[in-house]
Amino acid sequence: MLNQSLLANRRSVARLLLLLQEENLQRKSLLRLHWEDCLSRWRRSRVREVIDRFRSLCSGDEDQQLVSVPQVVQEMKLTQRDLTERRRDVIYNICSLVPPSCSTALVSDWFNQLTAVNQRIDGLHADFLHQLRCSYEQTWRDRLAEVQRCQEELSALQLPEDEVKHVVSSQLLALIGGSQSQDEQRLAALDLCCDSVARRALSLSRCVCVVMRGAALLWETHSRRLERREEELQKHLDDLRRSQQQRIQRKKVHLDDLLGGLRQASSGDALKTSLHKAVRYLQDVKHGCRQCVSDQCQLLDRLPSLFLEELVSYSSSLSSFYRLSHTYRPSPEELQNLHPSSTDPETRPGAEVQKPISCQNDTDPAQPSQDWLTEV
């Protein structure tokens, strides 16, 4: 009986110890699970803090960009306003490129000035884009450096490497990628806009230059034609004067012979005959001079009509160049106001035929003059 009681007690003690061990193991397991759960929640909270801090840092960088970019934009606007005023002044100089002070050289110089101002504006836009890109790139580098620090901080939490890489790639790098993509799209849009503005300004400048150069070329052509007409007229006048001088030189020789015969006359009848011959010859000389002057006046009287013809031709060329349906031609009243002698005096009642100015004070060569006799 005693042995059986001892065996029963031993079995009870062993069972009790087994139950206590099981209970202790269960308690330890629960504590271990609780600790692991708390550690997991703490790690998750730390990961969220890291992610939230990184997002806050990215938002702060964007706010910093919004503060710094307007300063750059304001500086650019001030410089651009000055350049725009300069370009407006250059464009306004078109008003001075009109006849008779216009030429292809002046138009080329005006186009070079306008191109230089446009290039300065384009350079200003390029500098602004460069500064903006540098600012964005610096922000991207700062964010990548912050990602590296966050990765080290996550690794210090003894998280698995795969989990650290997953958090970095899915949370941090994805945020940087989205922000960088938006920045690149903004830069691309600004670059496209600046390029479009530059190409538009260049296209308009070239169009205006082509039109102005064409108009200046028309005026230069018109001026050269007028100069050629004047040279031809001057050549005709010189030919008339030269031929008249040659005739006068020849007649002087003959007149000297007549005067020599007049001096050698031995009788009154011979003196009177020689005197009448000399007077008639001098009247012929005078008539020849009048005729030469009359011919020169007739040539000079053609000058206004030649100029008018060239001006009408220039007006027609301008109308064709600018594709105008109407060509300006002066009316008879305007012609009368500009050049009264261009109209036929016979058509005006009571009008007298006007002689050339150089011939209005001359007398009739057929009538003898006592002045000639006195000179002889």
Side-chain angles (χ1 to χ4, degrees):
M1 292 292 294
L2 183 58
N3 290 334
Q4 292 178 353
S5 297
L6 289 173
L7 290 173
N9 289 335
R10 287 178 179 178
R11 291 190 187 97
S12 299
V13 170
R15 184 175 179 79
L16 182 59
L17 290 173
L18 181 60
L19 293 175
L20 289 175
Q21 289 178 357
E22 290 179 353
E23 185 179 0
N24 190 20
L25 290 174
Q26 289 178 357
R27 185 180 296 109
K28 288 182 178 181
S29 177
L30 291 175
L31 291 175
R32 179 70 181 181
L33 291 174
H34 182 67
W35 180 80
E36 291 179 352
D37 182 61
C38 291
L39 182 61
S40 178
R41 288 198 301 270
W42 177 76
R43 286 175 177 172
R44 287 196 298 271
S45 65
R46 291 291 298 169
V47 170
R48 285 195 298 271
E49 289 178 1
V50 171
I51 295 174
D52 292 341
R53 187 175 69 251
F54 182 77
R55 288 179 176 174
S56 177
L57 178 63
C58 291
S59 300
D61 292 339
E62 292 179 356
D63 295 337
Q64 185 66 28
Q65 287 180 354
L66 294 176
V67 172
S68 60
V69 169
Q71 296 178 354
V72 177
V73 172
Q74 187 66 23
E75 295 176 358
M76 185 200 71
K77 283 184 176 181
L78 293 176
T79 307
Q80 187 178 15
R81 186 180 298 111
D82 296 337
L83 292 176
T84 302
E85 292 179 356
R86 171 60 180 163
R87 180 167 62 181
R88 185 173 59 247
D89 294 339
V90 173
I91 293 174
Y92 186 74
N93 288 336
I94 293 178
C95 299
S96 62
L97 300 178
V98 295
S101 62
C102 67
S103 64
T104 54
L106 292 177
V107 172
S108 298
D109 182 66
W110 172 84
F111 178 72
N112 292 334
Q113 293 180 6
L114 182 60
T115 302
V117 176
N118 288 333
Q119 288 177 352
R120 291 183 61 184
I121 294 177
D122 297 340
L124 178 65
H125 293 165
D127 292 341
F128 170 71
L129 287 176
H130 178 69
Q131 294 178 6
L132 192 60
R133 183 177 293 277
C134 291
S135 176
Y136 284 150
E137 289 177 352
Q138 182 62 39
T139 300
W140 299 340
R141 287 193 293 269
D142 294 342
R143 290 178 180 178
L144 288 176
E146 185 63 25
V147 168
Q148 185 64 29
R149 288 193 293 270
C150 291
Q151 185 175 1
E152 293 175 356
E153 187 174 352
L154 292 176
S155 298
L157 296 176
Q158 297 180 355
L159 293 174
E161 185 177 356
D162 295 340
E163 185 176 355
V164 172
K165 291 181 179 180
H166 176 71
V167 171
V168 170
S169 60
S170 62
Q171 298 293 333
L172 306 183
L173 293 180
L175 185 61
I176 292 179
S179 178
Q180 184 174 352
S181 178
Q182 293 178 358
D183 294 341
E184 290 177 349
Q185 290 177 0
R186 190 180 297 111
L187 289 174
L190 288 174
D191 191 10
L192 181 62
C193 181
C194 292
D195 184 66
S196 177
V197 170
R199 286 187 284 106
R200 179 65 174 171
L202 180 60
S203 176
L204 291 176
S205 300
R206 286 178 176 175
C207 291
V208 174
C209 180
V210 168
V211 174
M212 295 300 297
R213 183 177 287 114
L217 185 60
L218 288 177
W219 173 252
E220 289 181 347
T221 304
H222 170 68
S223 299
R224 285 194 296 268
R225 294 182 62 178
L226 286 179
E227 291 176 358
R228 187 165 57 251
R229 289 293 186 93
E230 290 179 357
E231 291 174 357
E232 293 175 356
L233 184 62
Q234 185 64 40
K235 183 177 181 299
H236 291 163
L237 291 174
D238 294 339
D239 293 340
L240 288 175
R241 294 192 187 99
R242 192 178 303 110
S243 62
Q244 177 65 16
Q245 289 176 359
Q246 292 174 357
R247 286 194 299 269
I248 290 175
Q249 290 297 330
R250 290 194 300 267
K251 290 182 179 181
K252 278 184 178 180
V253 175
H254 186 63
L255 183 60
D256 290 339
D257 295 338
L258 292 176
L259 294 177
L262 182 64
R263 296 189 193 96
Q264 296 175 1
S266 59
S267 63
D269 294 337
L271 179 63
K272 187 175 181 181
T273 302
S274 299
L275 181 60
H276 283 294
K277 288 182 180 181
V279 169
R280 284 197 301 270
Y281 194 76
L282 287 174
Q283 289 176 351
D284 291 339
V285 172
K286 181 179 179 181
H287 179 71
C289 294
R290 283 185 174 182
Q291 185 63 37
C292 179
V293 173
S294 177
D295 295 339
Q296 292 179 3
C297 291
Q298 289 179 0
L299 284 176
L300 292 175
D301 288 341
R302 290 175 53 194
L303 188 60
S305 61
L306 293 177
F307 283 175
L308 180 61
E309 180 182 352
E310 291 297 333
L311 286 174
V312 171
S313 176
Y314 175 64
S315 176
S316 177
S317 300
L318 281 180
S319 299
S320 300
F321 180 75
Y322 289 108
R323 298 181 180 180
L324 302 177
S325 59
H326 174 69
T327 300
Y328 171 75
R329 294 182 181 276
S331 62
E333 293 77 8
E334 292 175 337
L335 290 177
Q336 179 64 27
N337 294 329
L338 292 174
H339 185 224
S341 62
S342 62
T343 58
D344 188 2
E346 295 180 358
T347 59
R348 292 176 294 170
E352 297 180 354
V353 178
Q354 296 181 353
K355 297 181 180 180
I357 299 175
S358 301
C359 303
Q360 289 179 358
N361 296 327
D362 295 337
T363 60
D364 188 359
Q367 297 177 358
S369 175
Q370 296 299 327
D371 294 336
W372 292 97
L373 297 177
T374 304
E375 292 177 3
V376 174

